[in-house]
Amino acid sequence: MTGAANEGKALEVVVDGTSYARIPIRTRVVMPGDDLDAVISEYAASAVQPGDLLFVTEKIVAITQGRSYTLDEIRVRPLARFLSKYVTRTPYGIGLGMPETMEMALRECGTPRILFAAAVSAVTKIFGRRGDFYRVAGDKARAIDGPTSGTIPPYNKAVVLGPTDPKGVAARIKSRLSGIAEVAVVDINDIGGNILGSTLDKAGEQRLVRILRDNPLGQGHESTPLGVIREV
C-alpha cells in the first residue's frame, strides 16, 4: 500500500463534514483457487490500522469462491440471446448486455424473475423510468460482471457472478484482522454502487456508498481490489 490514489482518482473525500482517505491496496491478479483469507493476510493485514475500514471488491470474493466462468464454458440459450439485445450498454460496463452474462442471470435469478423484470422494465421505460430491471431482478443480477476491453486478463474473457454470503465473508475477514477494523464487500463502479455485505450498521453502509461514490479503486487495469478507508 503506497498511500497514493489511483490515476484520475482523488485520495481524499469529504462526507458529512468528515475527511476520509481511500487508500488503494495493489495485489497480484487473484485467480480461481486462491484463498481469500491468504490474500487478505498477504496484502491487507499489515496495512490496516485500528479504526480503519477495509473494503473488498465483490469480484475477488466471487473469484476465490469459484464463481468465475470463461466465456467458452457458458452454454447460451436462445432466450438469453434474445433478452440481451434489449439491455442498454454503457461505457462503464457491459452488464447483462451480452448473451453470456444474460445466461448467467437466468441461472442465478431464475427465468421467471428475469422475464418479469424485463416485462416491468419494458413498460416503465415508456414513462421515462430507468433501472427497474435491476430493481426487480435484484442484487444477484446487478452483481454479474462481464468482460470489457479494460478488464485484466484472464477476466477479459470471463463472466464473474456475485459472491456467496458477502455478509459472512465480511465478518470472517474482520475476525482475521482481530476486530480492529470494520469490513465491507462492495460492488462499486463509475455509475454507482452497493454494499453487498458488511460489519457496519445500515447508516454506516449508506455513508460508505457516499465515500466510495467516485469509485476510487477504478475498474480497469489498476489491480487494486482492496482498499482502506481512514479518517483524516
Side-chain angles (χ1 to χ4, degrees):
M1 185 173 73
T2 65
N6 279 332
E7 184 177 356
K9 303 293 182 179
L11 182 64
E12 296 183 16
V13 68
V14 177
V15 172
D16 298 335
T18 301
S19 294
Y20 298 92
R22 297 89 46 84
I23 308 168
I25 300 176
R26 191 173 304 280
T27 72
R28 58 180 170 78
V29 177
V30 176
M31 300 293 289
D34 282 338
D35 180 78
L36 180 61
D37 291 347
V39 172
I40 297 298
S41 295
E42 181 178 357
Y43 293 101
S46 62
V48 173
Q49 299 177 7
D52 285 348
L53 184 145
L54 175 69
F55 61 109
V56 183
T57 59
E58 45 85 28
K59 190 167 186 174
I60 70 159
V61 177
I63 288 168
T64 58
Q65 292 175 337
R67 289 173 61 76
S68 66
Y69 300 85
T70 58
L71 296 178
D72 58 11
E73 290 181 286
I74 303 170
R75 179 178 168 272
V76 177
R77 292 169 289 178
L79 178 61
R81 293 188 189 279
F82 172 77
L83 291 175
S84 66
K85 295 177 182 178
Y86 297 94
V87 176
T88 301
R89 300 187 183 194
T90 76
Y92 308 107
I94 200 163
L96 303 185
M98 66 183 296
E100 289 84 358
T101 52
M102 182 61 76
E103 173 63 35
M104 299 312 291
L106 290 166
R107 299 184 195 182
E108 278 284 279
C109 307
T111 298
R113 184 163 190 165
I114 293 298
L115 287 175
F116 181 57
V120 170
S121 177
V123 172
T124 57
K125 277 183 180 178
I126 297 172
F127 300 99
R129 283 175 57 97
R130 294 291 184 269
D132 283 324
F133 178 90
Y134 288 105
R135 277 189 280 271
V136 175
D139 287 341
K140 285 185 177 181
R142 188 182 291 109
I144 294 173
D145 193 2
T148 67
S149 60
T151 305
I152 294 176
Y155 303 107
N156 59 336
K157 296 182 179 179
V159 176
V160 182
L161 306 182
T164 299
D165 188 24
K167 187 174 182 65
V169 170
R172 188 183 79 237
I173 293 174
K174 180 177 179 177
S175 178
R176 289 191 64 84
L177 296 173
S178 302
I180 66 170
E182 302 299 336
V183 178
V185 177
V186 303
D187 178 15
I188 306 291
N189 58 44
D190 287 341
I191 57 174
N194 297 281
I195 310 305
L196 301 185
S198 79
T199 58
L200 302 167
D201 58 19
K202 200 66 177 178
E205 289 189 349
Q206 292 170 350
R207 181 171 59 253
L208 179 57
V209 169
R210 297 198 298 276
I211 293 171
L212 299 178
R213 180 174 294 161
D214 61 338
N215 191 18
L217 295 185
Q219 59 189 78
H221 285 81
E222 293 87 354
S223 196
T224 51
L226 309 170
V228 167
I229 292 174
R230 184 174 296 155
E231 285 194 29
V232 178

